[in-house]
Amino acid sequence: MNAKITLICLTCICFLFSCRHKPALPDDGFAEWKDSLQHVYQYGICTDSLDLTEYTLKNGDNPAAIFSSLGLSAAKADSISRCSAGILDPTRLRAGMNYYTFVTTDSVAALRYIVFAKSLTDFAVIDLTADSVRAYPFNKEITLKRKFVDGTISSSLWNAIREGGTDPLLAIKLADVFAWQIDFFDVKEGDSFRAVYHEAYIDDTIPLNITSIEGAVFTHRGKQFTAIPFCQDSVTEYFDGEGNSVRKAFLKAPLDFFRITSRFSNSRFHPVLKRYRAHHGVDYAAPTGTPVKAIGSGTVVKKAYQPNGGGNYLTIKHNSVYSTTYMHLSRFAKGIHAGSRVQQGEVIGYVGATGLATGPHLDFRVFKNGQPINPLNMEAPPSMPVKPELLDSFRLVQQSVLAELDSFRAVRDSVVFGGAGTQQLPADSTVLASALGINR
């Protein structure tokens, strides 16, 4: 009897358990949700039954003219203009920008949406599906992809990166990071580099720009320079292997990636005057209009024109010891005048050939305590190092970054690259928490 009762109880339990865990049949809501997964969307609009047409703005186009060309009445065009005023500024529309229309695919072909592209990621959507017009912004999602690059230089950093199939603007980013340690006019054949960086993508497929260097090692003249991003006092900077900031008091050069044509000398043959005389500066050959940067923060103390010498020139006083002069400028940057305060890396003028010059170049000079010194031999102390109480956290970040660089170089070694090699790192690549100081 007890055995029968036990069997009946077990049967009931199994029945109840099976009923409880039996998958529920999808209701109408679930079916609709599942069906919605098959829809196609563009700019947040379901386009299953809509045709898209792309247009390009021409000179003189404005919203009113565009709406009229699409067959809208003057009253409707006015309603759209007023409704979209907050997200679509007509004064910012330029020839070459795109806009799109979405119309129904039936015989009537009614206009349902107009989308204006304000940038690669920002759009203004005008919804005409209801009795009243609705306008709203749409932003394409931007995703970051973590990538690795390395290479050996045969001519220039720019060429090495470009030949490896990587966006050569990465060269500018790397040069900015190491600008205080390496003179990129003087990179040598055999110098090498490796870096981890983030690149932004639209729709996860269209590259937008390189957003940050997440760690780098550059070998120049046999000496290794490292750049480890670390955050202290809410500011992320790059530090070397000893925890010193790679940002020094002065940039190594006031231009990007152009050649030196004349160096500091006490006796140089002047190409215009045809005689030997002192040249206490460095000449950088570059095309007219190339931006010239202040190598350090300071105050403009001279802005003048010297017809038989430096042409348009600026002098910046950086502190009680150092000042710099920039000569032969084609023009000055907007807002620059005697008394202006300028920041390190700020554009102060543009390369030219004013004054005594045979061609466009920058004559750059540095003075220490009023005496000219060779800019190429100038040393500057580092900025604030990692604080002692944060050194342990910095070491953890440093170890993580260098281990990541080493691990992906090992992967690269299994493949033959020409020039520089680039790899996309997996999304779950090892990183430390931001609390440890690394900016992700």
Side-chain angles (χ1 to χ4, degrees):
M1 185 67 176
N2 290 338
K4 286 184 177 181
I5 293 173
T6 301
L7 180 60
I8 292 171
C9 289
L10 289 173
T11 303
C12 290
I13 291 171
C14 291
F15 176 78
L16 291 172
F17 184 85
S18 64
C19 290
R20 181 181 178 185
H21 290 273
K22 184 177 180 179
L25 292 175
D27 57 19
D28 290 342
F30 180 83
E32 290 178 4
W33 172 82
K34 183 178 179 181
D35 183 60
S36 72
L37 296 179
Q38 311 303 317
H39 294 326
V40 177
Y41 288 83
Q42 288 182 276
Y43 312 107
I45 300 167
C46 179
T47 60
D48 292 350
S49 58
L50 297 174
D51 283 335
L52 178 152
T53 304
E54 178 179 338
Y55 301 87
T56 301
L57 286 170
K58 301 179 180 62
N59 287 324
D61 279 350
N62 58 67
I66 291 170
F67 300 149
S68 176
S69 70
L70 295 175
L72 298 171
S73 67
K76 192 72 169 179
D78 180 65
S79 174
I80 294 173
S81 297
R82 285 187 285 105
C83 180
S84 61
I87 62 169
L88 185 63
D89 184 352
T91 64
R92 293 184 177 273
L93 297 179
R94 298 286 184 269
M97 296 172 68
N98 294 328
Y99 66 97
Y100 312 87
T101 60
F102 293 82
V103 300
T104 56
T105 56
D106 52 31
S107 58
V108 178
L111 180 62
R112 288 291 181 254
Y113 297 91
I114 309 171
V115 178
F116 286 87
K118 299 194 290 185
S119 71
L120 290 173
T121 58
D122 301 329
F123 301 82
V125 180
I126 299 171
D127 183 349
L128 306 175
T129 58
D131 292 337
S132 59
V133 176
R134 189 167 71 97
Y136 55 89
F138 176 80
N139 305 106
K140 285 193 173 184
E141 182 181 2
I142 295 177
T143 56
L144 294 182
K145 295 185 179 182
R146 196 169 177 81
K147 295 187 173 184
F148 171 81
V149 64
D150 72 345
T152 300
I153 294 172
S154 58
S155 58
S156 70
L157 177 61
W158 180 281
N159 288 337
I161 289 177
R162 184 185 59 184
E163 289 165 4
T166 304
D167 184 348
L169 291 179
L170 179 62
I172 300 290
K173 292 283 188 180
L174 283 172
D176 285 344
V177 170
F178 291 107
W180 294 269
Q181 298 167 297
I182 299 169
D183 182 355
F184 282 89
F185 293 93
D186 193 39
V187 292
K188 301 296 183 184
E189 182 177 357
D191 286 357
S192 62
F193 60 92
R194 48 196 171 104
V196 172
Y197 63 98
H198 278 158
E199 187 169 11
Y201 279 77
I202 303 172
D203 295 333
D204 204 40
T205 56
I206 303 171
L208 181 61
N209 62 349
I210 293 167
T211 60
S212 62
I213 303 294
E214 296 296 306
V217 175
F218 201 105
T219 302
H220 174 57
R221 293 177 174 266
K223 182 178 180 181
Q224 184 169 284
F225 300 88
T226 61
I228 308 297
F230 186 74
C231 183
Q232 64 177 3
D233 298 329
S234 301
V235 177
T236 298
E237 290 191 69
Y238 294 97
F239 297 87
D240 64 18
E242 303 303 317
N244 294 314
S245 173
V246 301
R247 179 173 58 87
K248 295 176 183 271
F250 299 116
L251 297 174
K252 275 286 188 181
L255 294 173
D256 292 325
F257 300 110
F258 295 98
R259 62 191 177 90
I260 294 174
T261 55
S262 182
R263 296 174 181 264
F264 188 94
S265 172
N266 288 318
S267 180
R268 185 199 71 158
F269 185 77
H270 196 283
V272 177
L273 299 178
K274 305 299 182 184
R275 59 186 174 87
Y276 287 91
R277 69 174 189 173
H279 181 254
H280 290 156
V282 174
D283 286 350
Y284 294 94
T288 297
T290 300
V292 176
K293 302 175 184 178
I295 68 162
S297 300
T299 301
V300 177
V301 293
K302 288 183 182 179
K303 174 190 174 184
Y305 180 75
Q306 190 179 53
N308 296 317
N312 290 322
Y313 76 95
L314 281 174
T315 296
I316 298 173
K317 183 177 182 180
H318 300 284
N319 50 40
S320 60
V321 176
Y322 288 98
S323 63
T324 53
T325 296
Y326 310 77
M327 305 166 71
H328 304 301
L329 302 173
S330 60
R331 60 188 175 93
F332 303 105
K334 186 177 180 180
I336 295 294
H337 55 82
S340 294
R341 180 71 184 172
V342 296
Q343 301 301 314
Q344 185 178 66
E346 180 179 344
V347 175
I348 55 174
Y350 301 87
V351 169
T354 56
L356 288 180
T358 57
H361 73 283
L362 173 71
D363 185 341
F364 172 61
R365 306 192 177 200
V366 178
F367 300 85
K368 182 177 181 180
N369 295 318
Q371 299 299 312
I373 63 172
N374 188 343
L376 301 179
N377 294 336
M378 180 176 59
E379 290 291 337
S383 297
M384 183 71 69
V386 173
K387 294 179 178 180
E389 62 269 26
L390 296 177
L391 272 175
D392 288 343
S393 295
F394 171 73
R395 294 300 180 200
L396 289 174
V397 174
Q398 180 185 27
Q399 291 169 13
S400 174
V401 170
L402 294 179
E404 189 175 24
L405 285 168
D406 287 341
S407 65
F408 287 99
R409 183 171 63 174
V411 172
R412 188 268 303 149
D413 285 342
S414 65
V415 183
V416 176
F417 290 99
T422 306
Q423 294 172 290
Q424 181 175 322
L425 310 189
D428 59 350
S429 59
T430 304
V431 296
L432 289 180
S434 59
L436 290 179
I438 197 162
N439 184 24
R440 297 297 185 195

